[in-house]
Amino acid sequence: MVDASEQYLFQGYSLPVYKTGVLIIGSGAASLSCAIHLHRMGCSKMLIVTDNRNGGTSRNTGSDKQTYYRQSDASHVPDSPYAMVESYIRGGATHGDIAFVEAQNSLRAFYNLVSLGMDFPHNRYGGYTGYKTDHDPSSRGISLGPYTSREMVRVLSAEVQRNGTPFWDQCDVVRLLTDENDQMVGAVILDKTKLYEENHGLSVILADHVVLGTGGPAGFYASSVYPRVHVGSIGLAMEIGAEAANLTESQFGIASIKFRWNLSGSYQQVLPRYYSTDREGNNPEDFLSPYFSSWEALTNAVFLKGYQWPFDAAKISDEGSSLIDLLVYQETQVKGRRVFMDFRENLTGKSEWSDFSKTCVASSALGYLQTSGAWAETPYKRLQLLNQAAIDMYASNHIDLSKEPLEIDVCAQHNNGGLAADIWWESTNIAHLYPIGEVNGSHGVSRPGGSALNAGQVGALRAAIRIMGYGTPMRSSLQACKMQINDLI
Ligand SMILES: Cc1cc2nc3c(=O)[nH]c(=O)nc-3n(C[C@H](O)[C@H](O)[C@H](O)COP(=O)(O)OP(=O)(O)OC[C@H]3O[C@@H](n4cnc5c(N)ncnc54)[C@H](O)[C@@H]3O)c2cc1C
């Protein structure tokens, strides 16, 4: 619920001023989940404001097997939050207590999604068995296929609609407002459907709590696999002096750039040809083989890239899989060339090596392809046998892998750093501001694949508990932030 507006004059412009208890910014998986928890806990005064109900990363992205990470409760091997937190903190740049809270609450968050209708694969006994994902020594990953986070947004949005939470679409938050004690008191929003009105669609929302679920800073990156519709708004919090953590820790990996899609899993396991050209597409060069000592080492590294998709500095030496990312980066960003993966042709070796054949392929890759019934002469045929859906994905985006190569780069996928917050996802220095989801800097250097989605769901729950714990004082006053609004206008 939102209180009816009153009009106030700011620099000669008449702006409506609304009041609510909790202002939730964004409509990604994290924000929607927070609204649902708040509603269940009895919060009646809240408002979701989003710049685009169809925007955001959760709704618009996917990958070969988009993963949700949670404590395993259906495997032969016993698991616990204590074991899980070890996986979280291994790579560094994590806060131990926060990682522990994410582990401890992961099952609650996961079963919330199940209860809202997410049909994760399970056995006949009701056990949600999982698989190993990146940086995961256990089997805590679970997936609905390429579009797990889109399905999350679908079920979460349906619940928000069912419970009648006010939802304002096409509204950009353009300024967060604080009082003299660095406490949140609200935000200024720009209604993009009212730009031509006298006040240009600006209004003020006073709120006791502000949940910021604006996602990763996608607009920062030149080479990116974030959906094009998503830009991010971490700057809103920076502008009011919110502390940040580990901002330099972004996650990168190989992705196609015409249609943005991670080239993980089967795309690498079928061992496509990698080559670069000049800007005009001439002078092709098979740039990988000079850096590998044998066919075995080269095919093993490309094959492993399927499992080890994110760039990881620890996997460069000894002809590791991240050497591939580094070599692609060298071609595109250092030499200014274009790089392609071509499924019509096999990898090319050094001149002194034999021609590519089955006997050249590392036993890891060959064993996998043969066991899967997917050995064939070309990467394209292998991909048809291994994962036809991977071909169809490109076909539905007007790219025929049997006829054209894929232009690729090492692309940003996730910011592991972000705003600093405590174990309740409340900002470390701006009271009543709750950065949740990707905008929160809790993610660490090499967290297991799928932990971003879990972090968003757990953060949403924790912020809701914290907000309800404060009670509903309705303390925000326009007086406290009038100057900031005048400055903006
Ligand atoms: C290619 C790819 C693959 C991925 N695969 C996985 C995976 O397998 N497992 C995993 O755990 N994670 C994965 N991730 C990461 C994960 O998808 C994201 O971290 C997560 O979806 C972010 O959710 P969010 O709710 O924080 O933000 P988003 O879903 O990005 O939502 C942000 C919302 O804020 C709104 N917004 C932004 N600025 C403003 C503003 N100024 N005013 C109003 N509204 C605003 C947006 O419109 C949007 O609604 C992947 C990411 C990518 C790009």
Side-chain angles (χ1 to χ4, degrees):
M1 199 185 91
V2 189
D3 288 348
S5 69
E6 288 178 45
Q7 296 288 133
Y8 287 85
L9 272 184
F10 300 93
Q11 309 277 42
Y13 288 97
S14 173
L15 266 53
V17 176
Y18 302 86
K19 269 192 178 188
T20 188
V22 187
L23 171 64
I24 300 174
I25 306 173
S27 54
S31 290
L32 293 170
S33 187
C34 189
I36 291 168
H37 289 300
L38 283 166
H39 182 265
R40 281 193 197 133
M41 291 171 196
C43 176
S44 57
K45 288 200 159 199
M46 64 175 142
L47 165 67
I48 299 174
V49 166
T50 187
D51 65 348
N52 177 4
R53 70 158 63 236
N54 296 319
T57 300
S58 324
R59 194 178 194 286
N60 293 288
T61 201
S63 62
D64 205 24
K65 199 171 180 183
Q66 203 190 16
T67 303
Y68 191 94
Y69 196 71
R70 53 48 299 167
Q71 187 188 318
S72 167
D73 65 352
S75 109
H76 293 285
V77 185
D79 197 8
S80 76
Y82 298 93
M84 192 166 161
V85 81
E86 294 291 333
S87 313
Y88 274 179
I89 63 177
R90 192 165 294 130
T94 29
H95 184 298
D97 292 355
I98 294 174
F100 184 73
V101 173
E102 286 180 24
Q104 180 70 69
N105 288 276
S106 65
L107 281 171
R108 182 170 172 186
F110 172 71
Y111 284 113
N112 177 47
L113 295 171
V114 172
S115 72
L116 289 173
M118 280 198 74
D119 194 15
F120 282 110
H122 53 85
N123 61 31
R124 61 198 290 247
Y125 307 105
Y128 289 84
T129 49
Y131 56 84
K132 278 191 188 188
T133 150
D134 317 319
H135 308 297
D136 171 25
S138 190
S139 291
R140 304 186 185 114
I142 193 160
S143 172
L144 270 183
Y147 291 115
T148 303
S149 60
R150 177 176 296 179
E151 180 61 7
M152 285 167 67
V153 171
R154 192 188 69 75
V155 299
L156 293 163
S157 300
E159 180 68 6
V160 162
Q161 217 173 344
R162 261 192 302 272
N163 69 29
T165 304
F167 188 109
W168 292 3
D169 191 15
Q170 295 302 313
C171 290
D172 275 5
V173 172
V174 292
R175 183 75 157 89
L176 296 179
L177 301 169
T178 48
D179 66 13
E180 66 285 2
N181 300 317
D182 278 345
Q183 300 197 93
M184 286 308 306
V185 289
V188 179
I189 66 166
L190 179 75
D191 183 339
K192 292 182 281 191
T193 64
K194 296 183 178 158
L195 291 179
Y196 299 105
E197 294 188 0
E198 217 163 300
N199 62 18
H200 305 293
L202 287 168
S203 62
V204 176
I205 299 173
L206 296 177
D208 293 327
H209 305 275
V210 175
V211 175
L212 190 73
T214 49
F220 282 165
Y221 304 104
S223 296
S224 166
V225 69
Y226 280 93
R228 286 181 206 276
V229 285
H230 181 66
V231 178
S233 292
I234 194 171
L236 285 172
M238 301 280 188
E239 205 175 20
I240 57 165
E243 287 170 347
N246 303 319
L247 277 178
T248 50
E249 299 299 340
S250 298
Q251 188 178 66
F252 294 86
I254 292 174
S256 53
I257 53 179
K258 192 164 133 195
F259 161 55
R260 292 182 173 187
W261 195 250
N262 286 0
L263 291 162
S264 57
S266 44
Y267 293 109
Q268 304 291 346
Q269 287 157 350
V270 299
L271 309 174
R273 178 186 175 203
Y274 276 74
Y275 68 95
S276 68
T277 69
D278 62 21
R279 298 307 306 163
E280 285 70 45
N282 303 317
N283 189 17
E285 212 176 288
D286 292 79
F287 60 93
L288 292 182
S289 55
Y291 295 88
F292 287 87
S293 58
S294 64
W295 268 125
E296 162 95 20
L298 173 58
T299 53
N300 185 52
V302 175
F303 177 73
L304 284 181
K305 190 99 283 279
Y307 298 104
Q308 301 171 349
W309 181 80
F311 171 75
D312 178 355
K315 296 193 180 82
I316 298 173
S317 57
D318 301 324
E319 305 176 277
S321 60
S322 283
L323 181 55
I324 309 269
D325 303 76
L326 205 60
L327 294 172
V328 172
Y329 174 84
Q330 179 170 266
E331 294 299 304
T332 59
Q333 306 302 323
V334 181
K335 297 185 187 168
R337 289 168 64 82
R338 299 167 70 190
V339 173
F340 298 88
M341 267 167 69
D342 196 338
F343 291 85
R344 298 166 301 175
E345 294 181 62
N346 286 305
L347 287 156
T348 308
K350 287 182 191 164
S351 56
E352 61 269 30
W353 296 355
S354 62
D355 287 343
F356 183 91
S357 74
K358 197 171 175 177
T359 54
C360 312
V361 177
S363 53
S364 52
L366 187 62
Y368 177 78
L369 288 167
Q370 283 184 324
T371 313
S372 314
W375 178 258
E377 277 159 42
T378 65
Y380 184 79
K381 287 183 184 159
R382 297 194 280 274
L383 194 54
Q384 277 182 311
L385 294 168
L386 190 63
N387 186 3
Q388 177 64 38
I391 293 174
D392 298 342
M393 175 65 70
Y394 277 96
S396 62
N397 286 282
H398 317 293
I399 296 174
D400 182 347
L401 296 183
S402 72
K403 294 207 171 80
E404 58 184 307
L406 275 181
E407 185 160 4
I408 64 166
D409 204 347
V410 182
C411 293
Q413 180 204 304
H414 195 262
N415 189 355
N416 292 333
L419 299 172
D422 63 13
I423 62 165
W424 297 98
W425 272 251
E426 184 167 4
S427 162
T428 45
N429 66 325
I430 308 284
H432 308 288
L433 172 68
Y434 308 85
I436 61 169
E438 189 172 337
V439 77
N440 186 299
S442 72
H443 299 88
V445 175
S446 54
R447 297 272 298 271
S451 59
L453 291 175
N454 178 57
Q457 296 305 291
V458 172
L461 169 68
R462 295 287 287 184
I465 297 172
R466 176 67 146 207
I467 289 167
M468 293 312 283
Y470 275 121
T472 45
M474 292 303 278
R475 57 169 170 74
S476 302
S477 90
L478 188 58
Q479 209 44 43
C481 56
K482 217 169 176 181
M483 252 169 55
Q484 293 163 46
I485 304 169
N486 281 327
D487 283 352
L488 179 76
I489 293 169

